[in-house]
Amino acid sequence: MRDNPRTPANSPMSPSRRNLLFGTAAAGALFAAGCTSNENNDDNEKSRQAANTADTKPGKAVTIGFAGPQADHGWLNAINQQAKRRAKEYEDVTLETTEGSNDTAQQIGQIETLINKKVDVLVILPADGKALTQVGLKAMKAGIPVVNLDRIFASPQAYRCWIGGDNYGMGLNAGRYIGEQLKGKKNAKVVELAGLDNLELTGQRTKGFDDALKNYPNIEKVGRQAAEFTVESGQAKMAQLLQAHSKFDALWNHDDDQGVGAERAIQQAGRDDFLMVGGAGAKRAMDAIKADNSVLKATVLYPPTMAASAIDLARALGQGKGVGGLAELEIPASLTLYSAVVTKDNVDAYLPTGFS
């Protein structure tokens, strides 16, 4: 794989920083509703439905420029599809898309073309956040607000809003799920199949996983291999883990695409004595979780639906609106998506978001 399939080294993932957990307001609203009568619940639901309908009614026409990635990975392809699908749902949105590139110079040229077309808003998932910071600044100085998607620019002046995933949260929730499954087992052992170790996101996922396991003193991480977010690397590195560790109780794999290779290695070794947790949320993984006939029991999301949400935010910016469900008059400066754990108990709800 030629390029980072996730957030780059300069992505802000610490909850203590300026990121806002996407969905917090909705959770608060649901909690408040749970404290009222059924009649009030019905009224609240009608109000929410009315608000959602109002948000989708045609308003001021907005042209959104979308500069996405080259679709050389399942998750990246889903990013492009989600953006295009969402834009089609709005009568008042025109989407100007680029071909997508992992070459920084080429992507800069594509974005400059969108700037020259004088689009109303730009949505950019940069091939390299640091390298494309200047073109983000150029757009902002030209009066075109930028929604920076996932891989963050080096300067907050280069975007109006950042929206992306939570790598630390992925590891944390993977560790919590495994911890709960093994909390009654003495001397439990786990292994980790990470992604590219030269990417900071990989370190963030590993740190979250290790931090979660600290809450379960009966569990020890006994092995770790770093793959490259590809099927081939997943198979090779998983084979090494299986050879080095004749017995363990759980595996966390950072990425569902490399998980295809990992599962091949597991099948070839004839192993089924542990549970596996994947990462990102591929449809193939969700189908396997639903079937419940393999070691794969869960996957932790890094939702590509963030691209659809980026279109929502861009439309709101172009129309001078806030975000439905929030009291603020302006959209937030930063939104961090939640890394939910998908299991057989909730997989049906998440299957529509699974990517190929």
Side-chain angles (χ1 to χ4, degrees):
M1 190 159 182
R2 292 178 299 160
D3 194 58
N4 173 5
R6 301 288 190 270
T7 314
N10 56 345
S11 175
M13 287 300 166
S14 170
S16 64
R17 298 178 68 178
R18 52 190 163 77
N19 293 336
L20 172 69
L21 284 176
F22 195 60
T24 301
L30 288 172
F31 175 80
C35 297
T36 62
S37 67
N38 289 335
E39 182 178 350
N40 285 340
N41 286 343
D42 292 341
D43 290 340
N44 289 340
E45 180 58 29
K46 289 177 182 177
S47 297
R48 282 193 292 272
Q49 291 175 355
N52 289 337
T53 301
D55 286 345
T56 59
K57 284 182 178 178
K60 175 185 174 183
V62 178
T63 299
I64 300 172
F66 178 74
Q70 182 174 325
D72 57 1
H73 183 277
W75 185 86
L76 292 173
N77 183 57
I79 283 286
N80 292 336
Q81 291 178 342
Q82 287 282 344
K84 293 173 183 177
R85 178 193 59 77
R86 192 62 157 189
K88 288 180 180 178
E89 294 179 7
Y90 295 119
E91 295 179 23
D92 49 24
V93 168
T94 299
L95 191 68
E96 292 273 356
T97 63
T98 65
E99 291 183 5
S101 178
N102 287 332
D103 179 84
T104 56
Q106 185 177 17
Q107 193 177 27
I108 288 170
Q110 292 171 346
I111 294 168
E112 287 179 337
T113 297
L114 292 173
I115 293 172
N116 291 335
K117 286 184 176 181
K118 298 182 179 180
V119 297
D120 297 307
V121 190
L122 272 168
V123 175
I124 303 172
L125 196 160
D128 183 312
K130 184 177 180 180
L132 269 75
T133 298
Q134 288 302 314
V135 77
L137 288 167
K138 182 176 182 179
M140 292 289 287
K141 288 177 181 177
I144 302 174
V146 174
V147 178
N148 183 190
L149 182 56
D150 202 43
R151 304 174 186 171
I152 196 167
F153 294 130
S155 169
Q157 296 185 65
Y159 59 89
R160 166 58 182 82
C161 176
W162 175 87
I163 178 170
D166 185 354
N167 287 292
Y168 178 85
M170 279 187 76
L172 192 69
N173 288 342
R176 285 171 173 168
Y177 174 80
I178 288 174
E180 288 302 302
Q181 303 309 303
L182 302 180
K183 65 180 180 181
K185 184 177 180 63
K186 292 183 179 180
N187 302 318
K189 298 178 180 179
V190 302
V191 296
E192 179 183 10
L193 184 64
L196 284 161
D197 258 344
N198 65 336
L199 302 178
E200 186 174 346
L201 68 91
T202 301
Q204 291 167 343
R205 293 179 186 184
T206 291
K207 186 177 189 310
F209 187 60
D210 290 345
D211 284 351
L213 293 182
K214 291 176 184 176
N215 296 311
Y216 303 92
N218 63 308
I219 299 176
E220 179 186 4
K221 187 170 80 172
V222 296
R224 182 184 185 277
Q225 286 286 342
E228 299 173 359
F229 294 117
T230 65
V231 173
E232 295 76 15
S233 67
Q235 184 170 353
K237 295 299 183 178
M238 189 67 231
Q240 291 179 27
L241 277 173
L242 292 167
Q243 188 173 17
H245 304 281
S246 59
K247 184 170 179 56
F248 54 86
D249 302 290
L251 156 71
W252 182 43
N253 161 54
H254 285 205
D255 180 75
D256 285 333
D257 273 22
Q258 71 183 24
V260 173
E263 290 173 64
R264 286 178 187 170
I266 292 166
Q267 291 168 359
Q268 289 172 359
R271 296 281 295 273
D272 61 0
D273 54 327
F274 57 89
L275 68 91
M276 175 179 175
V277 177
K283 184 180 183 301
R284 177 204 61 82
M286 293 190 194
D287 287 339
I289 291 165
K290 184 171 182 176
D292 196 22
N293 57 7
S294 71
V295 296
L296 184 59
K297 302 302 181 185
T299 187
V300 187
L301 298 188
Y302 197 86
T305 49
M306 65 177 72
S309 296
I311 297 298
D312 293 338
L313 293 169
R315 176 175 178 261
L317 280 170
Q319 295 179 341
K321 296 179 179 178
V323 176
L326 293 180
E328 311 306 318
L329 296 177
E330 301 284 349
I331 71 167
S334 183
L335 296 169
T336 301
L337 304 188
Y338 183 69
S339 293
V341 179
V342 178
T343 68
K344 66 178 180 180
D345 295 327
N346 63 5
V347 65
D348 287 336
Y350 289 101
L351 263 171
T353 71
F355 58 87
S356 300

